Amino acid sequence: MELTSKQRAQLRGLANGIDTIVHIGKDGIGENLVKQANDALEARELIKCRVLENSMLTSREAAGNLARETRAEVVQVIGTKFILYRPSHKKDKNDRIKLVKA
């Protein structure tokens, strides 16, 4: 799923109010971190991640790798933080993020 610029802007706005959930440290992106990110994406659809100073990865590398591993879209990368989005499979559609049309 490729996000449009309008959808990215919408998701960036929604991400302003959320806390960082996933922290990537010196161990990089391992199996446990991918599981944590998958669980968070399923529950929230939109997550904020942070690359810690002791990580060997840049924010862009970490965002790309984690997005690939979780089948998510990178919404934005700024400094040490990045935002990922993946539509959830929640049964209740009222709990899902409704993206603007292209």
Side-chain angles (χ1 to χ4, degrees):
M1 172 184 103
E2 184 68 30
L3 296 171
T4 67
S5 59
K6 284 183 182 182
Q7 290 169 333
R8 286 183 194 281
Q10 176 192 4
L11 292 169
R12 282 193 306 267
L14 292 172
N16 284 336
I18 64 174
D19 292 328
T20 303
I21 295 175
V22 177
H23 299 273
I24 301 165
K26 65 178 176 161
D27 295 332
I29 298 173
E31 190 176 311
N32 288 336
L33 191 118
V34 171
K35 182 184 178 333
Q36 177 188 9
N38 270 320
D39 291 346
L41 284 163
E42 187 59 32
R44 296 174 180 86
E45 296 183 305
L46 188 67
I47 62 171
K48 192 180 289 183
C49 307
R50 180 172 175 238
V51 177
L52 302 176
E53 291 178 17
N54 63 350
S55 177
M56 300 298 265
L57 298 171
T58 67
S59 297
R60 290 214 181 274
E61 290 170 333
N65 291 346
L66 192 54
R68 190 171 37 261
E69 292 288 329
T70 59
R71 296 177 320 279
E73 287 287 325
V74 178
V75 175
Q76 183 178 37
V77 179
I78 294 182
T80 61
K81 295 184 181 177
F82 60 92
I83 303 163
L84 296 180
Y85 169 75
R86 183 181 73 199
S88 174
H89 296 97
K90 295 177 187 176
K91 291 181 182 175
D92 188 355
K93 293 185 182 205
N94 293 329
D95 289 340
R96 294 184 189 173
I97 295 173
K98 293 163 187 66
L99 292 178
V100 295
K101 300 289 183 197

